Amino acid sequence: MTTRMFLVSAAIGEALREARFDDGSPLDASGLRAARTAAEAGAVPAGGRLWVSPTVRCRQTAEALGLQDGLETAELAPLDVGRWRGATLAEVGAKEPEAVARWLADPVSAPHDGESVREFCDRVAEHLDTAAEFSGRTVAVVEPEVVRALVVRALGAPESAFWRVDVPPLTVTELSGRAGRWNVRAGRPLV
């Protein structure tokens, strides 16, 4: 039984543009425009199931792409950065430089009182195992860090690789295979 999972990274919004930890902000005008252009061009992968990360950006991206009736999936929520939510990386780095350095270097560190990178990768990997139970195609509109975590787990890479996976807005990363053996096709732009 082969599963194909198309991970569509959310369109750009103000938080992503400012390198700000998710604060629930919506897409900006250029992000909405890019997603609508992708939908009009027929660039959106078709799937039997649609999962959507429970963020405003992901819900708006799915809607702008013409993907309706997606199942909002809590397991595909972005990394919980606790008290850093809404701040930029530069702001946090200025106030807590040692904490940021520790967080970026150690996957089990969670100085923000949220999730560690390891906990986050484990959480989304559980959802990947669930996806493997279904044959056919699934489209998931998710935040870039969810794509990163799924790629790390699919490849069996260490969590330290999490920070080395770049995921631009409105790209598709395809995972195909089954639990325990995944292939990755990364970064196809929608527009």
Side-chain angles (χ1 to χ4, degrees):
M1 175 168 70
T2 299
T3 299
R4 286 199 179 311
M5 191 167 179
F6 298 91
L7 306 170
V8 177
S9 59
I12 198 158
E14 187 177 323
L16 187 61
R17 196 177 303 282
E18 295 175 354
R20 186 168 8 103
F21 294 108
D22 180 51
D23 62 353
S25 63
L27 296 179
D28 62 19
S30 68
L32 277 171
R33 192 171 35 257
R36 289 177 181 144
T37 298
E40 290 167 6
V44 182
R49 286 169 299 284
L50 173 61
W51 292 329
V52 180
S53 180
T55 65
V56 172
R57 281 183 354 125
C58 289
R59 287 191 307 269
Q60 288 180 334
T61 298
E63 183 179 303
L65 290 172
L67 299 171
Q68 305 299 323
D69 302 320
L71 177 62
E72 193 170 291
T73 309
E75 295 85 6
L76 296 177
L79 177 66
D80 176 4
V81 293
R83 71 175 182 279
W84 293 354
R85 188 169 193 256
T88 67
L89 185 56
E91 291 167 345
V92 174
K95 290 179 185 173
E96 302 179 55
E98 297 86 15
V100 171
R102 189 170 64 251
W103 181 61
L104 293 173
D106 181 4
V108 298
S109 177
H112 43 58
D113 299 323
E115 275 177 308
S116 70
V117 168
R118 176 169 290 161
E119 290 168 332
F120 176 60
C121 288
D122 287 345
R123 172 169 54 87
V124 298
E126 287 178 23
H127 195 71
L128 186 59
D129 292 341
T130 300
E133 296 173 8
F134 300 103
S135 63
R137 299 161 65 101
T138 300
V139 174
V141 180
V142 295
E143 295 291 344
E145 67 261 32
V146 173
V147 177
R148 272 191 223 120
L150 288 169
V151 166
V152 164
R153 284 297 192 245
L155 294 176
E159 289 95 4
S160 59
F162 178 83
W163 300 112
R164 297 180 177 255
V165 178
D166 290 330
V167 182
L170 279 183
T171 56
V172 178
T173 301
E174 180 183 346
L175 303 180
S176 62
R178 55 190 165 279
R181 186 183 181 287
W182 293 98
N183 297 314
V184 178
R185 177 183 250 171
R188 179 174 61 85
L190 287 178
V191 288

